[in-house]
Amino acid sequence: PAEAAVRYIQKAAADQAQLVVFPEYYLGRIAVPCPATERISKAAAAGQIYVIVGCWEVHADGTFTNTALLFDRQGRMYVADFKKHNVWVIERGETTPRVYFHSDRFNQPNDLAIAADGTLYASDPRFASPAGGQIWRITRRPDGKGLGEVMSSTRRLGVTNGIDLSPDGATLYVIGNQASEVYVIDTVTGAFSTPFFAGYQSFGAPSVAVSEAPSADRDTCQSTYSRGRNAGCSSSTWATSARVVPSRL
């Protein structure tokens, strides 16, 4: 799968896309990092393109979790670690992850989105409760570490799960799946607008908000979601151009 991913990344970069999104579980069961992630890291850096790809991350104890890997334009890979409440970063060419950001206030974190300036947004649900979810903004400090803050809201948030950015990066969308809402946040002011999309029938725990990238297929995203799958509609669609990879290449 990694070699096919690299070819698609190269094609998307040649087409001047800024983001390419692969289906969940696309890389199968892998350790993170591994040769497959290094090849994708190099392709992302060479094409100056953001990449999101899913896998089953195999841990040292033999367990595995559904993980989304987020690559920036420098080839850095970011991984949300819900067990230890970290966001890890693995620099291009390195095999040892380091903590990019940690907080004892994290419930998890769960999903990540990235803005054009490298700012990360993290959804942070509390699955054991219908409330208590959080949304984080994580900026990059001069020393290369992350600086995180909870985006405050006057409303009580539900299980904040999937997360997405508008093409211009001005609006953040977060699914509150148990509350059947999509939260809408101004990334400049931090203001929360009235939620929308209330009352949908959930198919498990949705992990993405609907893409608004101009060249991403909104109908495909919606129909994929409605089947209870997430193929090709993960986060970070702030890009002015995006490629959504079909669930079958």
Side-chain angles (χ1 to χ4, degrees):
E3 293 304 322
V6 167
R7 289 194 297 271
Y8 204 98
I9 292 166
Q10 292 170 338
K11 182 179 184 300
D15 290 343
Q16 298 184 330
Q18 296 186 46
L19 167 72
V20 60
V21 183
F22 291 87
E24 270 194 321
Y25 325 129
Y26 180 75
L27 293 178
R29 296 188 185 185
I30 61 171
V32 178
C34 67
T37 62
E38 176 60 18
R39 287 195 290 272
I40 292 172
S41 173
K42 289 180 178 179
Q48 288 288 288
I49 189 171
Y50 292 90
V51 179
I52 302 171
V53 59
C55 70
W56 288 108
E57 181 183 0
V58 180
H59 303 289
D61 61 1
T63 62
F64 55 91
T65 53
N66 175 15
T67 302
L69 309 177
L70 178 62
F71 296 83
D72 69 12
R73 287 175 168 171
Q74 287 72 46
R76 300 185 190 95
M77 178 171 63
Y78 298 92
V79 184
D81 178 1
F82 67 90
K83 291 184 177 180
K84 296 183 178 180
H85 311 306
N86 293 320
V87 174
W88 297 92
V89 63
I90 302 171
E91 298 288 341
R92 179 188 167 195
E94 297 186 2
T95 58
T96 303
R98 64 176 174 84
V99 175
Y100 182 65
F101 177 69
H102 169 86
S103 176
D104 292 336
R105 292 185 62 190
F106 267 141
N107 298 316
Q108 298 226 344
N110 194 45
D111 290 339
L112 299 174
I114 190 167
D117 64 358
T119 298
L120 295 180
Y121 294 90
S123 62
D124 189 23
R126 182 180 295 166
F127 285 115
S129 170
Q134 301 179 124
I135 303 164
W136 291 77
R137 186 204 310 264
I138 305 169
T139 55
R140 189 176 185 85
R141 300 190 323 200
D143 63 1
K145 295 182 178 180
L147 177 64
E149 61 176 350
V150 176
M151 302 180 73
S152 60
S153 171
T154 56
R155 59 180 297 112
R156 191 183 186 195
L157 301 182
V159 181
T160 49
N161 196 354
I163 192 166
D164 203 347
L165 277 160
S166 63
D168 60 5
T171 307
L172 186 69
Y173 300 96
V174 182
I175 288 180
N177 61 322
Q178 288 190 4
S180 300
E181 295 178 324
V182 175
Y183 306 117
V184 183
I185 306 132
D186 186 311
T187 59
V188 177
T189 66
F192 282 64
S193 301
T194 302
F196 69 92
F197 203 35
Y200 66 81
Q201 178 64 44
S202 175
F203 291 78
S207 64
V208 296
V210 175
S211 166
E212 287 195 351
S215 59
D217 187 338
R218 184 183 179 95
D219 292 334
T220 297
C221 290
Q222 288 182 323
S223 62
T224 299
Y225 167 78
S226 69
R227 291 196 300 271
R229 300 177 60 193
N230 303 328
C233 297
S234 195
S235 55
S236 304
T237 47
W238 54 266
T240 56
S241 178
R243 292 289 186 273
V244 177
V245 179
S247 56
R248 294 182 181 179
L249 292 176

